[in-house]
Amino acid sequence: MSIPLMPSFRGGAAARRQEAIARAFESEVRREFRAAAEFTGVRTKTHVAAGVTITTPRIGGVVMGPPVTFTVELMPGMVPSDLLAPARRVAEAVGGRGVRIEPIAGRWLRVVVLEEPEPEPAPPAPRRLRSRPLVTPCTAETAEGPHSFR
């Protein structure tokens, strides 16, 4: 007759500790993003009878990384470039130096916190100036056709 072994709870302690760290990190990123969105004006303010309700873009999920990534749902009327300022503030808060915003689907975006900022794109080459005007004026003497003014 064999005696059943008791399950070991020590092996799961490391996993539980890692999950607690991940949950704390996720709540910190959510708090930082909400504060940054309110500070930079990426929010809506609704006045109701009970007071004022402030709504910021919703964060879907956070991945600790590396690299740290989180998904954000745009609010109606927003464009992806509206999230640059709050995303940069979150990047600085978690130790990053830059951000990259990637569209996922519909109104959802993925924000990737970069260790090094992406290089700035090269400035466009100077355009050649034309020696003649793009639009030539039409005078009454040169106009011909059914709508001429002679």
Side-chain angles (χ1 to χ4, degrees):
M1 177 164 137
S2 66
I3 300 173
L5 297 175
M6 296 297 292
S8 172
F9 293 105
R10 291 185 189 135
R16 286 191 303 273
R17 188 172 30 255
Q18 189 65 23
E19 288 175 12
I21 290 170
R23 279 194 309 272
F25 181 77
E26 181 176 353
S27 66
E28 186 68 18
V29 168
R30 288 177 188 273
R31 187 187 64 76
E32 283 291 331
F33 185 80
R34 181 174 174 86
E38 286 182 36
F39 180 77
T40 57
V42 182
R43 48 132 172 86
T44 59
K45 190 184 279 190
T46 307
H47 297 276
V48 294
V52 177
T53 301
I54 295 176
T55 307
T56 59
R58 184 173 64 158
I59 291 187
V62 178
V63 178
M64 281 180 49
V68 175
T69 61
F70 56 96
T71 56
V72 180
E73 182 184 18
L74 291 174
M75 294 180 357
M78 291 180 72
V79 294
S81 61
D82 291 340
L83 295 180
L84 276 176
R88 285 182 180 148
R89 288 180 172 269
V90 171
E92 290 177 16
V94 297
R97 304 208 35 185
V99 294
R100 182 176 61 238
I101 297 179
E102 306 167 347
I104 297 176
R107 299 186 326 198
W108 286 94
L109 304 173
R110 177 181 296 120
V111 178
V112 181
V113 177
L114 305 172
E115 298 297 322
E116 294 295 325
E118 288 187 334
E120 294 291 326
R127 293 178 37 170
R128 186 174 61 93
L129 298 176
R130 294 179 179 247
S131 60
R132 61 177 197 258
L134 294 175
V135 178
T136 54
C138 181
T139 61
E141 294 87 34
T142 61
E144 297 180 9
H147 301 292
S148 64
F149 298 103
R150 289 189 187 219

